[in-house]
Amino acid sequence: MRWSYSPEDGPKCTMEPFVCKKKDKKTAHSPVQGTKHKIKEMADRRSSMGSSSDDPPNSRLFIIGPKTLTEEDFRRTFQEFGHIEEIWVVKDRNTGENKGVTYIKYSKTSAAAKALETMNGKIIGGGGGRSIKVMIAASREQGSKRDLNEEEKIQRLFVVVPKSMTDSELYDYFKQFGDIDYASIIKDKNTRESKGFAYVKYIKFSHAATAFEQCDRKYKPVFAEPRKSNVSRNDDRSFSSTSFDTNMSKNALPGPPEQFSNDGYNKLVVIASPSVNQDQLWKLFDIIPGMEYCQLHYDGDRVRPTRAIAEVVYANPQWASYAKEKLHGFEYPPGYRLIVRAEYDNMRSPFGSKSSNTEKQKPDILQIAQTIAQASNLMQAAGLSPDLLQQKLGLLPAGKESTNYCNVKLPDPQPFANIDEETAARCFIVCTPSALPNSVLKDIFCRFGNLIDVYMLNNRNCGYAKYASKASADDAIKTLHGAEICGNRIKVMEAEERPDSSRKRQRIDVESPF
DNA sequence: CGACGGGACGC
DNA sequence: CGACGGGACGC
């Protein structure tokens, strides 16, 4: 079963008028100016494929019905759902006999959707009392063969989302268009970071169609291709504690390790619920870059261990410190907080010899047994809801802000801007020697409030942070410019305006003074 | 000095 | 049961 966000709070619809950029389909008209009357051209809009093409997608219906039905029968009953480009009642080429098959091409997908949902199975005048069957027409290339999971094709959208967007934010935005089955952001299997794409599946085709047409164009919606495997047998195969991903892309790591400083540590000791296994802990700590090693053993009885203890080693002290800050106290599994402390390989704790074993309460057996029982269910949820984790990673309690992965004092984490707010200001970011992962960028740049999105350009050490408030962007620049984060120096400046194609060609004076 | 992203779902 | 024609760029 795929994880999907389920809502817990009431509806908060913020319907914003969005800037409607024109679709850049291949049917684009040449920008001829001077046409005063472009009234009826919309009705005539035809690409070279004619109106039988599937543009926009899923806007053509395929109808099976009584052979007695005429084009007018269909027009009468189908025109109320939206503008019809063409009705074609298929007739035998030779005999001229009605074959009982009709295509209706709408201008809009949503019209086809409403027509389908309303008219499928209905009896219409002239049909002699027998009902019609209404489907979405397959493409001409595809012919008459139909997919097994056809509904996925018309209920599910594939969208581009900001890297900072979470599943719940995605859900909250897209629920304004209708009832959502699930809203799910695609994430890197190892790092759990958003890949910047998502699936949104609706209960009804018409709701998917509305979202497809009316959502902010920045989401670049398309109807998703159905998944390849039609048989989705969902065994919950238990995690194997020995199956590690050996192909983890360490090349995505930010930069070479800093010079190891003697008063740092790069090893952590983690105490966790005995229901945690090594694979799970590995994946959790591998969210923070630079993890090199994670070895877990159990304390106490082999059959009924009292706790799990792990050593986790990072490539450099900065990441180890970051991991400690972010994961100490984190509930994993829910109901059981991780204890993460530094292990000084070479003696010398900056805090002195603070053997604080006393305050780390050893939970009693009974408590643990209960925890295990609950955790077995919750664990999977925790493992499958990385966004929750990501949120927590960015939003740990303000009390623990020693932030020794960062050399400047940072404000507390702030909530992100609403996803549909306009960008008011952008920062240009340069990281040297190398880029920071997105989870860190989010954590750092959200602290000035009103952050819309932050990302690095592909395979480069520079990127942008978008804010919904100029003041927030200015604050970020003031605080972060020149700071060192996890061993990387960052520069944060006001971004220059993007070379915008919509802008009128700038006339640059190239005239030579000579 | 560096400058404008990104497209497919664990099996 | 039930899957693909006809038209072909102006007042």
Side-chain angles (χ1 to χ4, degrees), chain A residues 96-154:
Chain A
E97 185 188 358
N98 187 332
K99 293 170 78 173
V101 168
T102 299
Y103 293 94
I104 298 182
K105 172 68 176 72
Y106 284 95
S107 297
K108 290 174 67 185
T109 307
S110 56
K114 281 183 280 183
L116 185 151
E117 287 167 2
T118 307
M119 297 306 296
N120 186 33
K122 287 277 161 64
I123 296 166
I124 62 178
R130 281 175 300 136
S131 64
I132 56 173
K133 190 167 165 184
V134 185
M135 292 156 280
I136 293 294
S139 68
R140 281 177 175 272
E141 300 74 48
Q142 189 178 4
S144 60
K145 54 176 184 285
R146 302 178 56 196
D147 294 307
L148 306 119
N149 34 13
E150 186 166 278
E151 59 166 36
E152 276 221 321
K153 211 183 229 161
I154 58 177

Side-chain angles (χ1 to χ4, degrees), chain A residues 138-304:
Chain A
S139 68
R140 281 177 175 272
E141 300 74 48
Q142 189 178 4
S144 60
K145 54 176 184 285
R146 302 178 56 196
D147 294 307
L148 306 119
N149 34 13
E150 186 166 278
E151 59 166 36
E152 276 221 321
K153 211 183 229 161
I154 58 177
Q155 295 173 346
R156 207 167 65 125
L157 300 180
F158 183 64
V159 296
V160 173
V161 297
K163 287 260 175 37
S164 61
M165 196 175 205
T166 64
D167 283 310
S168 60
E169 288 167 338
L170 179 72
Y171 187 101
D172 281 345
Y173 177 76
F174 279 95
K175 74 183 181 194
Q176 67 180 296
F177 307 108
D179 300 327
I180 289 178
D181 182 351
Y182 60 77
S184 172
I185 290 173
I186 304 160
K187 301 169 194 84
D188 183 281
K189 203 180 358 175
N190 296 318
T191 68
R192 293 299 198 187
E193 287 187 1
S194 167
K195 289 188 177 172
F197 316 104
Y199 292 98
V200 179
K201 185 170 185 223
Y202 287 90
I203 305 289
K204 294 174 68 180
F205 172 32
S206 59
H207 292 163
T210 304
F212 173 72
E213 289 165 4
Q214 295 184 13
C215 77
D216 193 313
R217 295 346 271 168
K218 75 185 176 189
Y219 292 107
K220 301 183 170 73
V222 295
F223 282 90
E225 287 300 319
R227 337 175 52 128
K228 33 210 161 215
S229 71
N230 44 3
V231 264
S232 61
R233 28 177 285 125
N234 305 310
D235 310 324
D236 27 8
R237 356 175 265 168
S238 53
F239 293 93
S240 153
S241 59
T242 51
S243 76
F244 295 135
D245 274 328
T246 49
N247 60 348
M248 293 195 197
S249 49
K250 295 297 183 195
N251 47 4
L253 263 189
E258 281 304 286
Q259 61 287 357
F260 188 86
S261 53
N262 263 345
D263 53 27
Y265 51 89
N266 61 354
K267 182 193 277 190
L268 305 175
V269 173
V270 180
I271 299 172
S273 156
S275 63
V276 173
N277 68 32
Q278 174 156 315
D279 191 43
Q280 293 162 328
L281 210 62
W282 177 297
K283 285 175 173 162
L284 179 65
F285 279 79
D286 197 44
I287 290 171
I288 285 97
M291 196 204 71
E292 294 189 329
Y293 175 85
C294 173
Q295 181 65 53
L296 179 144
H297 65 271
Y298 294 102
D299 206 12
D301 194 331
R302 240 173 217 285
V303 188
R304 189 164 300 207

Side-chain angles (χ1 to χ4, degrees), chain A residues 321 324-325 398-406 408-410:
Chain A
S321 159
K324 179 168 90 76
E325 296 244 346
K400 311 189 56 58
E401 293 303 322
S402 52
T403 55
N404 48 355
Y405 55 90
C406 174
V408 298
K409 187 161 162 51
L410 297 176

Side-chain angles (χ1 to χ4, degrees), chain A residues 281-469:
Chain A
L281 210 62
W282 177 297
K283 285 175 173 162
L284 179 65
F285 279 79
D286 197 44
I287 290 171
I288 285 97
M291 196 204 71
E292 294 189 329
Y293 175 85
C294 173
Q295 181 65 53
L296 179 144
H297 65 271
Y298 294 102
D299 206 12
D301 194 331
R302 240 173 217 285
V303 188
R304 189 164 300 207
T306 55
R307 57 182 185 173
I309 301 176
E311 287 185 347
V312 186
V313 174
Y314 282 88
N316 68 42
Q318 287 88 358
W319 287 121
S321 159
Y322 185 83
K324 179 168 90 76
E325 296 244 346
K326 293 309 179 186
L327 291 172
H328 179 56
F330 179 66
E331 275 196 57
Y332 188 82
Y336 198 108
R337 292 193 188 281
L338 296 179
I339 295 164
V340 183
R341 58 180 169 82
E343 173 88 340
Y344 294 90
D345 264 340
N346 307 340
M347 76 283 132
R348 227 169 90 87
S349 161
F351 308 116
S353 60
K354 179 178 157 192
S355 58
S356 56
N357 283 342
T358 48
E359 53 192 1
K360 308 212 190 307
Q361 76 285 13
K362 199 165 70 178
D364 65 72
I365 297 287
L366 198 66
Q367 200 178 359
I368 287 297
Q370 289 171 347
T371 305
I372 295 173
Q374 301 165 347
S376 55
N377 296 330
L378 295 173
M379 180 64 89
Q380 299 225 349
L384 290 172
S385 57
D387 264 19
L388 198 60
L389 187 58
Q390 296 279 338
Q391 280 174 359
K392 301 226 179 190
L393 288 181
L395 298 169
L396 273 184
K400 311 189 56 58
E401 293 303 322
S402 52
T403 55
N404 48 355
Y405 55 90
C406 174
N407 73 338
V408 298
K409 187 161 162 51
L410 297 176
D412 293 341
Q414 301 292 317
F416 289 81
N418 276 334
I419 202 65
D420 46 6
E421 285 197 64
E422 299 259 324
T423 300
R426 295 189 313 152
C427 301
F428 180 57
I429 306 162
V430 181
C431 296
T432 42
S434 61
L436 290 163
N438 213 253
S439 57
V440 176
L441 292 172
K442 275 155 66 173
D443 176 48
I444 302 296
F445 282 84
C446 78
R447 291 162 184 262
F448 310 93
N450 303 298
L451 181 66
I452 292 174
D453 197 16
V454 54
Y455 59 89
M456 301 300 283
L457 299 177
N458 253 0
N459 301 320
R460 274 191 268 194
N461 65 344
C462 57
Y464 295 89
K466 297 180 184 174
Y467 288 93
S469 141

